Amino acid sequence: MNDFYEKFRNLTFFDNHPEAIANHLDNFYTSEEITVFHEMVSPDFHLDVYFISSAKHSFNILLTCGMSLLEMTVPEGVENAEQYKFAELMILIPKEIEFGEVSPSENENDWILGMLKETARFPHHYDTWLTIGHTLQATADMEPYDQATDYVGLVVLPSVTFDEEFTEIKIDNKVINILSIFPLYKNELEYKIANGYNALLDRLIEKDEKEVFNKQRGNLLDQ
């Protein structure tokens, strides 16, 4: 455990990125439309979640702020690797999904926030990266994120709701990418692992699935 803490003490933090994210959001939303779930204790790096509720959308937004404090470990050989080093994660949620005033709480939807934050921490804990097409599972045994859901993992997707004006934050000749996450059932995750991202994407298109999170959507593999 001491080695874990020591690792993060010795990394380079880009402390100006959270301010850049806040300034970016100010271009699209008023302060009244934005709430922040502040992280009270951070064992590695500080990771907050923005909750954006605007009348101009039929959905709300959860957006991490802190994943881009550290650069991800993009493998050698990836073309334009610099463009993938920094990211934050977003999920669009229905208006009726509510959270407690603080997080964590006893709210039944807290697992959604937990899923976001666990995913945002993953690349830094395991010296890897996340980008479009990548999948993650909640546990090694593909157990659900929480007893309140059957989702066991997720796939990283490009947003089809927002364009690059919103999903790319430019700062100091770098870019912070805002990536969307889409929760998956066990057989869907297994299907993607076996058949690849494009096959899963075809299923999403065939089913006309929306980017907005659905607690109990139909299975992509059902006929």
Side-chain angles (χ1 to χ4, degrees):
M1 183 61 71
N2 288 336
D3 290 342
F4 175 81
Y5 290 116
E6 190 67 27
K7 167 186 175 178
F8 286 94
R9 279 200 294 267
N10 294 330
L11 292 176
T12 299
F13 283 77
F14 294 81
D15 294 320
N16 59 334
H17 285 187
E19 182 179 2
I21 295 167
N23 291 339
H24 178 72
L25 292 178
D26 285 343
N27 294 324
F28 300 90
Y29 305 104
T30 66
S31 58
E32 290 76 18
E33 294 174 314
I34 300 175
T35 303
V36 183
F37 292 114
H38 290 286
E39 189 166 71
M40 304 309 293
V41 179
S42 304
D44 39 28
F45 58 93
H46 191 77
L47 183 63
D48 294 329
V49 178
Y50 282 104
F51 176 75
I52 303 168
S53 180
S54 173
K56 61 187 175 184
H57 300 316
S58 60
F59 51 83
N60 292 332
I61 305 168
L62 291 175
L63 172 67
T64 63
C65 180
M67 182 179 175
S68 63
L69 280 168
L70 297 163
E71 66 178 26
M72 293 186 286
T73 306
V74 181
E76 293 184 10
V78 172
E79 189 174 355
N80 298 320
E82 293 293 325
Q83 298 297 310
Y84 300 99
K85 287 187 174 181
F86 300 99
E88 299 290 348
L89 302 177
M90 171 177 72
I91 186 169
L92 311 185
I93 56 173
K95 291 285 190 183
E96 62 267 22
I97 290 184
E98 298 179 344
F99 301 92
E101 293 185 4
V102 296
S103 177
S105 67
E106 298 301 317
N107 188 285
E108 65 177 358
N109 298 314
D110 271 4
W111 70 268
I112 303 173
L113 293 167
M115 173 179 61
L116 262 180
K117 296 178 75 168
E118 289 166 15
T119 305
R121 284 194 151 95
F122 178 85
H124 303 311
H125 284 192
Y126 294 97
D127 300 321
T128 185
W129 65 314
L130 284 178
T131 191
I132 293 167
H134 287 184
T135 48
L136 281 183
Q137 52 201 62
T139 70
D141 296 328
M142 288 197 187
E143 297 169 340
Y145 285 102
D146 187 83
Q147 62 183 9
T149 182
D150 291 324
Y151 291 121
V152 304
L154 56 84
V155 61
V156 180
L157 297 175
S159 177
V160 295
T161 304
F162 295 96
D163 59 22
E164 291 180 358
E165 182 182 11
F166 182 77
T167 61
E168 292 187 357
I169 304 172
K170 304 293 179 58
I171 175 174
D172 299 336
N173 298 317
K174 301 189 297 292
V175 60
I176 301 171
N177 299 293
I178 297 178
L179 305 173
S180 290
I181 63 170
F182 186 86
L184 296 174
Y185 298 121
K186 186 173 185 291
N187 67 329
E188 295 171 342
L189 183 54
E190 291 171 337
Y191 179 84
K192 189 273 179 182
I193 293 170
N195 298 282
Y197 170 61
N198 287 334
L200 181 68
L201 195 60
D202 287 342
R203 290 287 182 167
L204 285 164
I205 295 170
E206 288 171 12
K207 294 291 186 178
D208 192 27
E209 282 297 337
K210 308 304 180 186
E211 185 174 357
V212 179
F213 171 70
N214 184 340
K215 272 189 174 182
Q216 297 177 317
R217 66 169 171 79
N219 197 293
L220 296 176
L221 302 181
D222 287 347
Q223 298 300 319

